[in-house]
């Protein structure tokens, strides 16, 4: 079961980085690639991940809550947002172009809040699940962080070497969304198996 | 207490890790001339390192070592020390691989190692600060949040403040010293006894002193090393270096400007001693009868702006430049300084596309972009059909959009597809919604009358001057000859020649991703 979870989390990391690359590009096209805009977008992403991490941590506190099922739903949510993300960014971007820098930051943060919140919540959810069975925080965090980041590293290389060239921005987010839906399904299967085993 | 310590260590390590990433990003951007593939592969190497580091660190997290055990702080201190030394060495390593001809891909190896050591910190911190109970997930989330807050602070402080006030070597050293301060704090808080603790502290101090002493040598003329690569010599030195949060501008001894490592023109407004293709700027006079309002996106050396500023009949020249360092550069060069001290000229620091989007009612007779290379990261934002449509909306009736295609078939095809009237002028595309020609009589008149600060562009008083003038006037006839790289070419010919090229859109980013690896030859 642990290997199954690692494989699923690797794919999740792969999809997350594809989104990050595409969304940042889309937001730079709207808000500019000057250092102020770049910093704003990067910070908004990070804050979203941080808030998501806390949210995932709070949810994971209750051992009765099924961590794998929640993870499955989170991935489903990320995929669903991913499918419409570029259209949402462009629509909001056009409305907010004339805003001040601070207002633009707030809007950017809100734009990426939902998906990054969901993404940020995945690590605490799976850590809480693994620690319950493994009883070793360092190993759980290290292993999960390893597979998730490895997935992101593969995604970054793949994006450069062929995905962006062959799929473009829209095609890349669609591919990422398909991965999320796959991950969601696999996590759901893991949840059902865990339930059956216990 | 232990959990609070874990939060602080997570935050500081996040600050360090992201600061280094930003430093490396700036270095690879310069060395690769802003190649999109280089950024992606740097990120891949960085993430691969973090992944491997976290996996290795998991092996150090023994089941019998419980949370709060201060023996773990020793492992943390050692990893943090090694991580900082390795990360500090990455920039000089980029310089060394450049000189050996291996270029930036080889330097990514050390990025993996340094990021690996940095990546080991988070699992070790988590193991130290979090008990393996039902609240582990929640506590981890706070550690992760602290790490992210530290990373954000790194992005803001290093990218926004340090880069604006310090050269790269000072920033690199400052980040390393923050890291070594973390090492010292971990040693102080560890379980080490008096003598051992002192030894560890002295060792950390020695490393800090060594880094301070070695930095000037290790980072010596780093920008020169990255640009000149195997042609770097002991006496190689830039005439000027301007480092700001917006980027790095360097000028060679012969007055060639490099923006972010990429060729960005030369200081020259003379059409007679044309070493920067300035003739193309004069050519506007042959294609538009009397431009009153001109928008120029990108300022660079200011040479083009200096020519445009003197076009007869010009009432207002708006220049949108993304990097304020260029105004600093131009102010220091008498031959172009006048651009900044003319009431007709307005310089705006902004992203060109965003400025157009935010000023929907502005209209211009001519929009000019001496665009950078078509394959650089994010250049799609200025070369796509979407951008051309945006530019069109800002053109007066009969207006001209004139920009550098840097000889890209994709760019030329895009321009000739979006606009019904098009002309290639050397490597520039001139496009319009109205009929367009490189008019010989207007060209002749332009060359005859053009003067900068009262000095004629061409002195026809001498025999050589008259001959130069006569030859240059015939440039307008090249439209009737077989297309050549430096001549004129009609829209139909461009479209026929670029049949197999791709029309660039925001979505396909065709020009950027056509070739992933593109190592630059040194000057």
């Amino acid at each position: 079961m642990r290997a199954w979870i690692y494989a699923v989390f690797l794919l999740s990391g792969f999809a997350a980085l594809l989104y990050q690359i595409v969304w940042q590009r889309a937001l730079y096209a709207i808000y500019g690639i000057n250092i102020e805009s770049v910093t704003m977008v990067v910070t908004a992403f990070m804050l979203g991940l941080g808030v998501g991490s806390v949210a995932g941590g709070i949810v994971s506190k209750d051992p009765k809550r099924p961590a794998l099922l929640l993870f499955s739903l989170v991935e489903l949510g990320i995929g669903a947002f991913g499918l419409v993300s570029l259209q949402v960014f462009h629509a909001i971007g056009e409305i907010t172009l004339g805003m001040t820098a601070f207002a633009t930051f707030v809007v950017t943060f809100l734009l990426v809040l939902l998906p990054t919140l969901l993404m940020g919540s995945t690590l605490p959810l799976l850590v809480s699940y693994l620690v319950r069975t493994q009883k070793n925080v360092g190993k759980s965090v290290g292993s999960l962080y390893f597979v998730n980041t490895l997935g992101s590293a593969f995604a970054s290389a793949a994006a450069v070497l062929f995905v962006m060239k062959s799929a473009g921005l829209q095609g890349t987010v669609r591919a990422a969304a398909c991965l999320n839906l796959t991950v969601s399904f696999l996590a759901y299967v893991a949840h059902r198996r865990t339930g059956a085993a216990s | 207490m232990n959990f609070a310590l874990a939060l602080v260590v997570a935050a500081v390590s996040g600050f360090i890790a992201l600061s280094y990433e930003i430093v490396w990003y700036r270095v690879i951007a310069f060395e690769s001339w802003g190649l999109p593939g280089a950024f992606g592969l740097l990120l891949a190497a960085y993430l691969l390192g973090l992944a491997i580091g976290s996996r290795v660190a998991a092996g150090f997290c023994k089941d019998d070592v419980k949370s709060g055990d201060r023996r773990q702080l020793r492992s943390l201190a050692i990893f943090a020390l090694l991580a900082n030394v390795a990360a500090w060495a990455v920039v000089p390593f980029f310089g060394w691989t450049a000189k050996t001809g291996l270029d930036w891909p080889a330097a990514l190896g050390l990025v993996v190692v340094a990021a690996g050591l940095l990546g080991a910190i988070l699992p070790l911190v988590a193991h130290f600060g979090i008990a393996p109970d039902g609240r582990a997930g929640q506590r981890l989330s706070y550690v992760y949040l602290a790490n992210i807050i530290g990373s954000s602070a790194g992005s803001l402080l290093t990218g926004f403040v340090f880069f604006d006030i310090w050269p790269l070597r000072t920033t690199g050293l400052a980040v390393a010293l923050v890291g070594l301060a973390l090492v010292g704090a971990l040693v102080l808080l560890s379980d080490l006894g008096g003598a051992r603790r002192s030894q560890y502290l002295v060792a950390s101090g020695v490393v800090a002193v060594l880094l301070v002493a070695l930095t000037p040598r290790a980072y010596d003329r780093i920008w020169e090393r990255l640009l000149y690569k195997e042609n770097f010599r002991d006496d190689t030195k830039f005439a000027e270096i301007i480092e700001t949060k917006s980027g790095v501008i360097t000028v060679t001894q012969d007055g060639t400007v490099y923006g972010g490592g990429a060729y960005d023109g030369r200081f020259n407004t003379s059409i007679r001693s044309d070493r920067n293709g300035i003739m193309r700027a004069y050519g506007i006079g042959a294609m538009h009868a009397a431009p009153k309002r001109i928008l120029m996106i990108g300022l660079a050396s200011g040479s083009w702006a200096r020519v445009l500023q003197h076009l007869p009949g010009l009432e207002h020249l708006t220049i949108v430049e993304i990097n304020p360092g260029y105004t600093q550069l131009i102010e220091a060069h008498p031959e172009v300084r006048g651009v900044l001290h003319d009431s007709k000229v307005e310089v705006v620091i902004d992203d060109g596309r965003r400025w157009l989007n935010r000023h929907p009612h502005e209209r211009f007779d001519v929009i000019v972009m001496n665009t950078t290379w078509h394959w650089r990261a994010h250049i799609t934002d200025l070369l796509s059909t979407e951008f051309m449509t945006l530019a069109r909306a800002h053109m007066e009736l009969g207006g001209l959009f004139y920009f550098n295609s840097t000889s890209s078939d994709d760019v030329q095809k895009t321009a000739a597809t979006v606009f019904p009237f098009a002309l290639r002028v050397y490597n520039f595309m001139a496009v319009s919604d109205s009929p367009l020609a490189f008019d010989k009589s207007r060209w002749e008149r332009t060359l005859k009358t053009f003067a900068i600060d009262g000095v004629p562009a061409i002195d026809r008083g001498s025999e050589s001057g008259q001959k130069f003038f006569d030859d240059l006037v015939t440039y307008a006839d090249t439209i009737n000859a077989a297309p050549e790289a430096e001549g004129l070419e009609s829209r139909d010919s461009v479209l026929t020649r670029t049949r197999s090229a791709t029309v660039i859109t925001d979505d396909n980013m065709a020009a950027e991703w056509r070739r992933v690896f593109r190592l630059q030859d040194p000057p």
Side-chain angles (χ1 to χ4, degrees), chain A residues 17 20-21 24-25 28-37 39-40 42-43 46-47 49-58 60-63 86 90 97-101 104 120 123-125 127-128 131-132 134-143 145-150 152-154 156-157 159-162 164-165 167-171, chain B residues 18 36-48 50-55 57-59 61-64 66 119 122-124 126-127 130-142 144-145 147-149 151-152 155-156 159-160 245-246 322 349-351 353-354 357-358 377-381 506-509 512-517:
Chain A
L17 200 98
Q20 189 187 331
I21 292 172
Q24 286 188 351
R25 274 203 78 110
Y28 293 157
I30 297 167
Y31 296 121
I33 54 160
N34 48 331
I35 182 72
E36 291 81 3
S37 298
T39 306
M40 212 164 57
V42 170
T43 306
M46 287 189 185
L47 284 179
L49 289 172
V51 172
S53 170
V54 172
I58 291 169
S60 73
K61 193 169 60 173
D62 185 351
L86 289 181
H90 286 299
L97 258 176
M99 286 185 173
T100 62
T104 307
L123 184 65
L125 278 174
V127 164
S128 70
V131 167
R132 276 174 209 143
Q134 202 170 347
K135 301 293 179 199
N136 185 316
V137 175
K139 276 186 182 158
S140 302
V141 173
S143 305
Y145 197 62
F146 165 65
V147 293
N148 195 244
T149 312
L150 193 64
S152 296
F154 288 157
S156 185
V160 164
L161 296 174
F162 55 88
M164 295 291 267
K165 183 178 179 179
L169 295 180
Q170 193 66 58
Chain B
L18 207 92
F39 297 134
L41 293 178
L42 172 69
L43 183 60
Y46 183 79
L47 292 170
L48 179 66
L50 290 182
I52 294 170
S54 61
R55 183 74 191 90
C61 301
K62 306 293 180 199
D63 290 344
D64 60 336
K66 298 301 175 196
L122 188 66
L124 291 172
H127 198 63
I130 302 172
D133 57 24
R135 294 186 62 200
Q138 188 185 15
R139 291 202 188 93
L140 172 81
S141 74
Y142 293 129
Y144 193 46
L145 177 66
N147 190 254
I148 286 171
I149 289 172
S151 301
S152 301
S155 165
L156 288 169
F160 229 73
K245 64 185 178 192
S246 298
I322 200 165
I349 302 301
D350 203 346
D351 175 275
R353 181 164 170 157
R354 185 175 68 165
N357 270 320
R358 293 178 83 154
H378 299 290
I379 193 63
T380 299
D381 292 350
D506 280 353
D507 192 76
N508 69 24
M509 306 160 286
E512 288 185 52
W513 297 108
R514 187 167 279 286
R515 263 176 64 194
V516 174
F517 287 103

Side-chain angles (χ1 to χ4, degrees), chain B residues 235-266:
Chain B
D235 60 348
T236 304
K237 192 164 173 55
F238 284 131
E240 290 166 82
I241 300 175
I242 297 172
E243 293 183 58
T244 68
K245 64 185 178 192
S246 298
V248 183
I249 303 164
T250 53
V251 184
T252 61
Q253 297 294 339
D254 72 350
T256 305
V257 181
Y258 289 84
Y263 172 79
D264 211 0
R266 295 187 173 94

